[in-house]
Amino acid sequence: MVTLVRQEIFKLIHKKSTWAASVVLLVLMTGIAVMSHNQPNTFNPQAMYQESFMAVPWIYLFMIAASASIIAMEFQYGTIKELLYRKYYRGQIIISKWITMVLYSVYFFVLALAYSFILKLIFFSGTFQLDETYGAKHTVFAQTVYYSLTQFVALWLILSLVLLLANLFKSSAVAITIGIVGYFALSVVASILAILIKKWTWLKWNPLNMMNYPSQYISPSLKSMTLLSTNELLIGSLVYTAIFLVITYFVFKRRNV
């Protein structure tokens, strides 16, 4: 298992897209920081910092693409046969890919948090302080970290579904497209979903509603729309993630090479 994870990390490190994604993320974050510095009334500096200068949507895109390709491309190019010939179990292969993607997503969030701190020092050293109390609960820094954790949970809810789709389709492009469209479609269908949930309350347990977890953490008043507490959204997200990963595991074990 450890050998498989090392191999996956080695392949990830030596992919040009890995480093390109990192550079693009930092450039985009810098652009948002500059805009916030020049137009603080439009782009509130503290709010931008707490959202890692809008890094999260891009992390979602990069991780969706990486998660879809890490499985689909093994079948697309036939490299899965080499792993099986080396007497690795299919369960070991899929779990090693999960671990690699978890580490990759952690890398992105740590990178975003660290670079946000650097941008704060460069552009907003006197605008706000990280030890200031945000609301009545946490400091600005703590709130930023907690918000990133909620986004990490929501990200893995999407990635678990993307990994499943990547197993069901021969091309990674399909899984990537569905994952990206699904992520951005959430904001579009949110109002429709809220109406449906109020009409049929059992719909509050659908996985799309769980994607509201990060937003409700920031704005608890969203409970009137989701009809679930923030903790219930967290638990629901984790349960759905586990369900999708378990299904992925069994689909991968039975998939024809």
Side-chain angles (χ1 to χ4, degrees), residues 5-217:
V5 173
R6 286 177 178 173
Q7 290 174 350
E8 292 294 341
I9 293 175
F10 178 84
K11 289 189 289 185
L12 194 62
I13 290 175
H14 287 80
K15 286 177 65 175
K16 293 181 180 179
S17 59
T18 300
W19 301 108
S22 300
V23 172
V24 169
L25 181 66
L26 298 182
V27 170
L28 291 170
M29 290 176 65
T30 303
I32 295 296
V34 171
M35 292 172 62
S36 182
H37 181 265
N38 294 334
Q39 302 179 39
N41 293 329
T42 304
F43 301 94
N44 182 272
Q46 183 173 316
M48 290 297 99
Y49 171 80
Q50 290 175 318
E51 295 180 11
S52 297
F53 296 100
M54 304 301 291
V56 172
W58 296 102
I59 293 175
Y60 273 67
L61 293 180
F62 298 147
M63 285 305 306
I64 287 172
S67 297
S69 61
I70 198 172
I71 292 179
M73 290 182 71
E74 293 281 11
F75 290 92
Q76 193 171 338
Y77 295 105
T79 51
I80 185 66
K81 295 179 181 179
E82 297 179 13
L83 293 174
L84 295 175
Y85 288 154
R86 291 162 64 183
K87 298 183 179 179
Y88 288 116
Y89 295 110
R90 289 196 178 206
Q92 292 176 314
I93 295 173
I94 188 63
I95 292 175
S96 69
K97 293 182 182 298
W98 293 348
I99 294 173
T100 303
M101 287 297 96
V102 168
L103 294 175
Y104 193 30
S105 55
V106 169
Y107 157 76
F108 268 127
F109 276 98
V110 171
L111 176 65
L113 286 171
Y115 194 59
S116 293
F117 179 73
I118 294 173
L119 292 174
K120 194 273 180 195
L121 293 179
I122 295 174
F123 294 104
F124 312 106
S125 58
T127 306
F128 62 91
Q129 301 302 318
L130 297 182
D131 57 355
E132 291 178 4
T133 302
Y134 180 82
K137 294 183 178 181
H138 310 294
T139 63
V140 171
F141 177 75
Q143 184 72 5
T144 303
V145 173
Y146 291 144
Y147 180 67
S148 294
L149 290 174
T150 64
Q151 288 288 359
F152 185 85
V153 171
L155 169 65
W156 266 94
L157 174 56
I158 289 181
L159 294 186
S160 63
L161 181 58
V162 170
L163 289 165
L164 174 58
L165 294 173
N167 269 290
L168 297 175
F169 299 102
K170 294 182 179 180
S171 173
S172 60
V174 177
I176 293 173
T177 301
I178 294 176
I180 292 175
V181 171
Y183 171 62
F184 285 104
L186 179 63
S187 58
V188 177
V189 303
S191 57
I192 300 175
L193 184 61
I195 296 173
L196 294 176
I197 289 175
K198 287 184 178 180
K199 188 173 182 179
W200 297 291
T201 55
W202 56 270
L203 283 175
K204 65 184 179 181
W205 297 106
N206 80 84
L208 280 179
N209 197 32
M210 303 304 157
M211 286 298 300
N212 287 306
Y213 171 55
S215 299
Q216 186 163 311
Y217 176 80

